[in-house]
Amino acid sequence: MTSTMLPPAFADLERFAVDWCLPTEAERYARRLASPMQELIDFYDACFPRVEDALSYCDKFSLEELPEDAIHLLHLVYSLVMVAMAVEIFQQPKPVDSADAELARVSAPWP
């Protein structure tokens, strides 16, 4: 039996779910930094065309009533935002000319 994380309409993105449905910005940033550029490009190329559909799906629910699969989908979108900077601007996982840039938050919005 295979467990899925995303809504059925997003089955084509399921292969990215385990690695990229991360609940915190720090986890998403660490994953981006640890990923080879080709992996970031593959993720971006698959997810970017579906971002509007994903947001429309999530908008069907209030934030307080998001089902678990929609929360995972939203986390995937958040990861796409994090990866987009690396793909579109830096062309590498790490920010350019940033020395040892870190991302540290003391709190974050939910979900």
Side-chain angles (χ1 to χ4, degrees):
M1 182 175 193
T2 303
S3 176
T4 60
M5 295 177 68
L6 300 175
F10 298 91
D12 58 311
L13 303 179
E14 191 67 43
R15 64 189 170 165
F16 300 107
V18 171
D19 292 332
W20 291 103
C21 291
L22 303 170
T24 69
E25 189 173 22
E27 289 173 290
R28 293 186 285 274
Y29 187 63
R31 176 72 184 162
R32 182 182 100 183
L33 293 179
S35 298
M37 194 60 199
Q38 190 57 55
E39 182 181 324
L40 299 180
I41 292 168
D42 292 345
F43 173 66
Y44 177 88
D45 287 347
C47 293
F48 186 77
R50 303 293 316 277
V51 72
E52 286 186 36
D53 294 337
L55 294 174
S56 292
Y57 180 85
C58 291
D59 281 346
K60 294 178 189 177
F61 309 97
S62 70
L63 283 177
E64 297 79 21
E65 297 176 352
L66 276 173
E68 189 173 5
D69 62 352
I71 291 171
H72 291 154
L73 183 60
L74 192 55
H75 290 163
L76 196 72
V77 170
Y78 294 163
S79 288
L80 176 63
V81 171
M82 184 68 68
V83 167
M85 293 291 288
V87 173
E88 295 176 0
I89 298 171
F90 304 133
Q91 284 91 47
Q92 63 182 27
K94 186 177 180 191
V96 177
D97 297 326
S98 65
D100 290 327
E102 278 183 34
L103 186 61
R105 283 202 187 268
V106 292
S107 68
W110 183 92

